[in-house]
Amino acid sequence: MIENLEMADVKKLSFLDGYLEDKRIVYLGEEDHWIHEKSDYRLLLLRYLVSRGWRYIGEELGWSDSIRVDRYLETGDESFLEQIATYGYEGALRKDRKDKPTGILKNQNGNYPVKEFKSEQLRLTRTLRDISEKVRANSDRIRFFGFDLDTLTGGGYKDIEELLCSFRQEPDIANILSLLNSVEGETIKDEMNRLTNVLEKVKLSKNNFMKLLGEKQYGLLQEHIQTLYDSLKFNLIINPAADYESVGVAMANREVVMQRHVKYILSQMKPDDKLVLMGHNRHLSKESGLIKDAGAASPGGYKGPSLGTYINHLLPGQVFSIWEIHEQGIGSQPYTELKQEYKGIAGTLNPILSKVAANYLLPTAGAHLLEKEMDIVGLYNVVYRTPIAKQADAIFFIRKVNPLRS
């Protein structure tokens, strides 16, 4: 049992040592992005995992935004934290076009808890910096990345420019930088075509780029450009989406990009480096095909495996998955037609778990109840069905959750 999440002692988690002995990847899943307890749960597990050698941390955060988080972890320079689009920064966004939902998702516009979300995320990030500095004297620092798309695009251009700025006098580099300049009034499709042209030229001049940048930076350049393109493609589909089938197509494309990002990071890690992935439970499901009735816009859009399933199959036997589940309370989700309040629903797993204790971590192995297909109350109070022991190796249960705090 864990009485106080914020002040919990990581020694309480030492019983996990045996479970993690042969694992390289840990999933830290959460059921609701917009609850205060999410950061406490994450930090408790991250303190423990870093103490056991985990150094790479990936979050369901934009690829470009997360670069600024990692630079803050490296330098301690707070200015990087004020340049993150997800936290409200608009300096890198286009001024001539508003890429926002106009279809069935438009009611989140202006209702997103940006101030509160930023505050909670900064609390997490600053604590991660403290943790990283403590281990840095004797080992590598914490490395952070976001495996998601950048739905608020723009920062990716700055990332590319910073990568290439030392070589801007080279003809090939100068040509690419000029092509990266935005064109006033261009549509999303126009911008995507421009980026396609950029990527083709980078590939055609591969040998020269490899000589200038080196293999690692050349690969990163391609990843930056491709992510910009994929982010625009996502917006092109999801912003005008008039039905959940279209949303599902966008979500399926998004999941593939997430998979590519994590696979790319794995390719940059040393064989003994260990990775933590943080995101929604369904993104980090070990067998997404066994999840039923998860809502119209589930991870993968019902058209392919979730990120967690993809990695679980890519590295069989190397993943330990933890899912956060709660029973009651209030969140801060931004969709006005959906519920923010959670109430125990009879017959689901949530109130059954609540009978054990308020907050605790429970391994699922050997628990016959958890091996059965059961109803579970999830985000937006959507009830889905799955044998949770097939998805998570442990459940982090929180009886009552609260809204994000500023």
Side-chain angles (χ1 to χ4, degrees):
M1 187 171 71
I2 302 171
E3 294 179 1
N4 187 322
L5 288 180
E6 191 171 354
M7 304 298 294
D9 188 345
V10 295
K11 293 178 181 178
K12 287 180 175 288
L13 302 179
S14 60
F15 71 92
L16 288 174
D17 290 352
Y19 291 97
L20 298 177
E21 190 173 355
D22 59 347
K23 306 301 181 187
R24 189 184 183 200
I25 299 175
V26 171
Y27 297 165
L28 294 185
E30 77 250 6
E31 192 51 51
D32 189 330
H33 299 312
W34 303 286
I35 56 173
H36 169 71
E37 288 74 15
K38 180 185 78 173
S39 293
D40 292 334
Y41 147 67
R42 283 178 165 185
L43 285 171
L44 174 60
L45 269 297
L46 288 173
R47 284 190 181 98
Y48 164 76
L49 290 167
V50 170
S51 74
R52 267 55 175 181
W54 268 262
R55 291 293 182 272
Y56 279 79
I57 300 173
E59 183 181 12
E60 188 184 333
L61 183 69
W63 177 260
S64 177
D65 278 349
S66 68
I67 290 173
R68 287 124 183 91
V69 175
D70 188 65
R71 287 179 180 167
Y72 164 74
L73 292 180
E74 180 181 18
T75 66
D77 185 346
E78 291 268 339
S79 68
F80 288 118
L81 300 180
E82 297 302 323
Q83 302 174 46
I84 298 175
T86 308
Y87 302 169
Y89 176 69
E90 297 183 353
L93 304 183
R94 295 187 70 119
K95 303 296 189 293
D96 61 334
R97 196 178 71 214
K98 298 292 184 183
D99 295 337
K100 292 185 177 182
T102 57
I104 59 174
L105 301 182
K106 68 179 179 180
N107 66 355
Q108 74 159 323
N109 293 339
N111 198 46
Y112 198 91
V114 176
K115 180 181 178 181
E116 294 82 0
F117 187 82
K118 176 183 178 180
S119 178
E120 296 278 10
Q121 288 289 111
L122 293 185
R123 179 166 69 96
L124 173 80
T125 304
R126 287 170 176 142
T127 306
L128 270 185
R129 160 80 179 170
D130 292 340
I131 296 171
S132 183
E133 287 300 289
K134 287 177 182 176
V135 300
R136 196 172 186 173
N138 300 308
S139 68
D140 294 336
R141 70 173 178 91
I142 290 174
R143 307 278 176 168
F144 185 90
F145 70 98
F147 52 77
D148 208 344
L149 295 159
D150 287 298
T151 54
L152 298 170
T153 57
Y157 286 104
K158 184 176 181 180
D159 302 330
I160 297 169
E161 290 169 4
E162 289 180 353
L163 185 64
L164 300 179
C165 67
S166 298
F167 308 96
R168 61 173 62 254
Q169 302 305 319
E170 297 289 336
D172 281 342
I173 300 293
N175 183 34
I176 292 301
L177 288 173
S178 68
L179 290 172
L180 287 170
N181 292 327
S182 64
V183 178
E184 183 75 18
E186 66 182 344
T187 65
I188 290 181
K189 284 187 177 180
D190 292 336
E191 189 173 357
M192 289 170 63
N193 289 336
R194 178 164 56 81
L195 288 169
T196 297
N197 186 28
V198 171
L199 195 56
E200 287 176 352
K201 290 184 178 297
V202 167
K203 290 179 178 178
L204 283 172
S205 301
K206 177 180 177 179
N207 291 339
N208 192 30
F209 275 94
M210 289 274 281
K211 288 178 183 177
L212 292 170
L213 303 177
E215 182 177 358
K216 185 174 181 178
Q217 296 296 81
Y218 174 72
L220 182 59
L221 173 63
Q222 289 191 90
E223 200 68 29
H224 284 339
I225 300 169
Q226 187 65 57
T227 299
L228 264 172
Y229 177 91
D230 291 333
S231 299
L232 291 166
K233 181 180 178 181
F234 178 81
N235 283 336
L236 184 68
I237 299 171
I238 205 165
N239 285 350
D243 52 57
Y244 280 107
E245 183 176 352
S246 300
V247 172
V249 172
M251 294 294 281
N253 291 341
R254 176 190 177 203
E255 208 75 16
V256 172
V257 177
M258 288 181 168
Q259 294 164 8
R260 189 189 76 233
H261 281 160
V262 175
K263 191 173 180 180
Y264 171 81
I265 294 297
L266 285 167
S267 74
Q268 305 303 302
M269 293 166 55
K270 298 188 291 292
D272 58 345
D273 285 336
K274 299 178 180 182
L275 170 65
V276 180
L277 296 179
M278 306 188 300
H280 193 273
N281 287 341
R282 246 81 82 231
H283 284 304
L284 300 178
S285 51
K286 294 180 79 172
E287 295 294 341
S288 55
L290 297 179
I291 299 176
K292 301 176 182 178
D293 304 321
S298 69
Y302 294 117
K303 301 178 186 299
S306 69
L307 164 65
T309 300
Y310 175 83
I311 298 299
N312 188 44
H313 292 180
L314 181 69
L315 300 172
Q318 298 184 46
V319 173
F320 189 86
S321 172
I322 302 173
W323 273 20
E324 177 272 322
I325 294 178
H326 50 266
E327 186 204 10
Q328 57 186 272
I330 299 175
S332 302
Q333 66 84 12
Y335 298 99
T336 55
E337 82 280 11
L338 298 173
K339 297 178 181 178
Q340 290 185 324
E341 184 176 4
Y342 293 99
K343 296 181 179 179
I345 299 178
T348 64
L349 177 62
N350 309 61
I352 295 174
L353 294 173
S354 187
K355 292 178 181 179
V356 178
N359 309 310
Y360 58 92
L361 182 64
L362 174 70
T364 59
H368 297 302
L369 176 68
L370 303 180
E371 293 172 352
K372 294 165 40 178
E373 186 178 273
M374 292 192 69
D375 286 340
I376 304 169
V377 180
L379 181 62
Y380 314 128
N381 284 274
V382 171
V383 178
Y384 62 95
R385 291 182 64 80
T386 195
I388 197 167
K390 296 289 186 180
Q391 310 297 345
D393 300 291
I395 294 170
F396 195 100
F397 181 75
I398 303 170
R399 180 178 287 159
K400 185 176 182 180
V401 296
N402 294 280
L404 299 175
R405 300 175 188 173
S406 59

